Amino acid sequence: MDSQELASKLCIPGHEFVLNAEGAPWKLLRKDLTTLAQTWSVLSYSNLAPTSHTFDHNMDSARLVYGLVIKMDMDVGFLISH
């Protein structure tokens, strides 16, 4: 999945993935997410894939929230287990 497409759907305009040292997309900052994406991220962290670190989204959790935001058919169990 293209990181630009993920960022365009999940982030407020003008914000995108933070890049790692190699220049690859690394994480989305929670403060840069749209209200809808923040809402789905809270739901996913509290009910679907509990985690102790809920401030930023790595690529995998961003894909989960992206699928929820665009109402994509997906196998949530598979995504959570991986």
Side-chain angles (χ1 to χ4, degrees):
M1 190 173 297
D2 182 29
S3 63
Q4 296 285 352
E5 183 180 348
L6 283 172
S8 70
K9 292 287 186 184
L10 300 179
C11 295
I12 55 178
H15 295 276
E16 56 187 44
F17 274 92
V18 174
L19 304 178
N20 64 13
E22 288 84 37
W26 180 41
K27 64 181 177 179
L28 289 174
L29 301 178
R30 188 172 182 190
K31 67 182 179 96
D32 295 340
L33 297 177
T34 63
T35 303
L36 181 61
Q38 285 181 5
T39 303
W40 278 115
S41 70
V42 169
L43 173 78
S44 69
Y45 281 141
S46 62
N47 295 316
L48 300 176
T51 182
S52 61
H53 182 69
T54 60
F55 296 109
D56 304 326
H57 287 278
N58 61 19
M59 187 64 101
D60 293 331
S61 66
R63 285 186 189 121
L64 175 61
V65 173
Y66 173 81
L68 293 167
V69 167
I70 67 163
K71 300 177 184 173
M72 178 172 40
D73 287 336
M74 61 182 151
D75 184 354
V76 176
F78 177 79
L79 291 172
I80 293 170
S81 68
H82 289 87

